[in-house]
Every structure is written in C-alpha cells, then in structure tokens.
Amino acid sequence: RLRPLEERLSSLEGDRSRGCPCAAAANELGGESPGGCAANSASAVAAKALDVVRDLETGLLEELRVVHDRCDNLQGFLDERVLEPLWKLERRVAERPVPAPLTLLSPDGDGFGGEGDVW
C-alpha cells in the first residue's frame, strides 16, 4: 500500500535533483512542465508534496487502527484464556481454610530440643 507513495516521493526527489522542480510537479500532476520555472512550479511541488503527506497520514492512521484492533483482540484472549483461570484459582485458594500448624511435643513437654517445634 505504501509502495506508490514511495515511488511518487522518489519521482519528486529525482526530478528536483536534476535541477527543475516543476518537472516533478508536472509528472505527478499528469501534465507538461510549465514554461517558466518560478513560483508556479514551487507552489505545484508544494501542493503535490502536501498531497503525498496527507496520503501517508491516511495510510498510517489505517495501520494504527489495525494495530489497535489486534491489541484489543490479544487483550481479550489473555483475559479469557490466562487471567480468568488464574483469578478463579486464586478465589478457590482464598476460600480454602488454612489448617492449623501441627505442633509436636515430646512426652516431657519441652518439644524435641528446640523452641517452637512446629512441624
């Protein structure tokens, strides 16, 4: 989609480098080169350059919309396939009662030789 715009820009640059900017405008506008290479040719080149920039902007906005849509689709997929199962697992773990720690004491009541004999 951007190839024609690149060709148009290179055509403008190529004709300008040959010395006559009005030839580039004439090529792009589909006409012949104007007689005098003056303000008319400069304004034609500027107008054509503005058209090319507008075309580029339109193309970039379309591409940005496509990227935005793809990001939305990816976010939906991650929410549905990854995050929702994790949230369900988190709720189930939070609802499960936590068992009390098992304390083993020796028959004499002082544990197995250390403080806080929790197993």
Side-chain angles (χ1 to χ4, degrees):
R1 192 179 334 183
L2 296 179
R3 170 69 67 195
L5 296 174
E6 291 173 357
E7 291 171 359
R8 289 165 63 187
L9 282 173
S10 65
S11 171
L12 283 170
E13 291 170 351
D15 287 340
R16 178 176 282 167
S17 67
R18 281 185 233 127
C20 182
C22 52
N27 285 342
E28 286 297 314
L29 296 172
E32 294 183 11
S33 180
C37 196
N40 286 344
S41 63
S43 64
V45 169
K48 197 56 182 171
L50 185 60
D51 287 342
V52 169
V53 169
R54 286 181 181 155
D55 290 345
L56 281 171
E57 182 181 19
T58 301
L60 288 174
L61 287 174
E62 288 177 27
E63 293 297 323
L64 185 60
R65 280 189 211 108
V66 168
V67 168
H68 186 72
D69 290 343
R70 287 183 179 173
C71 287
D72 286 344
N73 289 338
L74 181 61
Q75 183 65 50
F77 175 79
L78 285 174
D79 287 345
E80 179 183 332
R81 302 286 176 128
V82 176
L83 296 177
E84 284 182 18
L86 286 175
W87 292 330
K88 287 178 184 177
L89 178 64
E90 182 182 29
R91 278 187 296 237
R92 281 190 294 175
V93 169
E95 291 170 357
R96 181 176 276 173
V98 178
L102 179 63
T103 304
L104 298 176
L105 298 175
S106 63
D108 59 0
D110 67 351
F112 289 113
E115 292 187 27
D117 295 352
V118 177
W119 300 82

